[in-house]
């Protein structure tokens, strides 16, 4: 299948002024890759996933970007790229908030076009702590201030380092 394209490819490079030798050299690099890259089922799978992602991003941008940010929350460099992309799309990305956020990035239920920052994405704040914060918030309501927060959250999971990270991240 790919071998039948060699003549067309080389003729095209010559016709465009690049020469037969360059066309042969480039095609020699493409040909071994074709066994992996061009099977129809493989191409179909990638195309379908690409289409689904594009559709979700176009029709549900806040939800899509929330899921994307959550999937890369441990990779700070990628997360920064996607945070910037969300902002360029006109999506507001809030700071971590102990009274609203959960572990993952999530669409805000109070404001359209807003993503709540996932508390588990804050350095030194693990999912175990976030579970305790959310459970306490759901059981007894929002935290009134930092003193109320410290009194109500289990001191076995809340330490100085996590408090400093939450404060620096804007969570309190």
């Amino acid at each position: 299948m790919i071998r039948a394209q060699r003549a067309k490819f080389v003729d095209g490079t010559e016709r465009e002024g690049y020469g037969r030798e360059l066309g042969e050299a480039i095609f020699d690099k493409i040909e071994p890759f074709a066994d992996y890259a061009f099977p129809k089922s493989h191409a179909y799978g990638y195309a379908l996933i690409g289409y689904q992602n594009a559709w979700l991003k176009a029709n549900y941008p806040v939800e899509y970007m929330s899921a994307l940010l959550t999937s890369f929350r441990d990779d700070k460099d990628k997360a920064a790229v996607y945070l910037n992309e969300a902002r360029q799309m006109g999506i507001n990305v809030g700071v971590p908030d102990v009274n609203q956020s959960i572990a993952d990035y999530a669409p805000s239920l109070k404001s359209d076009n807003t993503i709540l920052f996932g508390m588990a994405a804050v350095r030194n704040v693990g999912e175990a702590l976030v579970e305790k914060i959310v459970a306490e918030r759901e059981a007894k309501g929002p935290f009134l201030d930092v003193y109320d927060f410290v009194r109500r959250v289990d001191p076995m999971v809340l330490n100085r380092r996590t408090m400093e990270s939450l404060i620096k991240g804007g969570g309190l």
Side-chain angles (χ1 to χ4, degrees), residues 9 33 36 64:
F9 185 84
F33 184 68
Y36 167 78
Y64 177 83

Side-chain angles (χ1 to χ4, degrees), residues 63-81:
E63 293 82 354
Y64 177 83
M65 293 306 292
S66 296
L68 186 63
L69 285 163
T70 296
S71 69
F72 286 102
R73 75 174 180 213
D74 294 331
D75 184 344
K76 303 300 181 205
D77 295 330
K78 284 263 194 199
V81 168

Side-chain angles (χ1 to χ4, degrees), residues 61-135:
V62 175
E63 293 82 354
Y64 177 83
M65 293 306 292
S66 296
L68 186 63
L69 285 163
T70 296
S71 69
F72 286 102
R73 75 174 180 213
D74 294 331
D75 184 344
K76 303 300 181 205
D77 295 330
K78 284 263 194 199
V81 168
Y82 295 128
L83 281 168
N84 185 47
E85 183 175 348
R87 290 182 179 119
Q88 286 178 348
M89 292 170 66
I91 299 171
N92 302 315
V93 181
V95 295
D97 183 342
V98 295
N99 282 325
Q100 291 185 3
S101 297
I102 57 174
D104 296 334
Y105 290 86
S108 173
L109 299 176
K110 295 180 180 179
S111 173
D112 286 345
N113 215 31
T114 300
I115 294 174
L116 299 174
F117 200 99
M119 281 193 287
V122 176
R123 193 177 312 260
N124 301 320
V125 178
E127 285 198 44
L129 172 62
V130 176
E131 286 176 19
K132 299 275 186 191
I133 292 170
V134 172

Side-chain angles (χ1 to χ4, degrees), residues 29-80:
K29 293 189 185 282
I30 293 172
E31 193 170 19
F33 184 68
D35 289 337
Y36 167 78
F38 298 117
K40 287 181 184 176
S41 62
H42 189 87
Y44 174 79
Y46 276 118
L48 179 62
I49 291 169
Y51 172 79
Q52 289 171 334
N53 275 289
W55 188 88
L56 288 169
K57 187 175 182 180
N59 293 286
Y60 297 94
V62 175
E63 293 82 354
Y64 177 83
M65 293 306 292
S66 296
L68 186 63
L69 285 163
T70 296
S71 69
F72 286 102
R73 75 174 180 213
D74 294 331
D75 184 344
K76 303 300 181 205
D77 295 330
K78 284 263 194 199

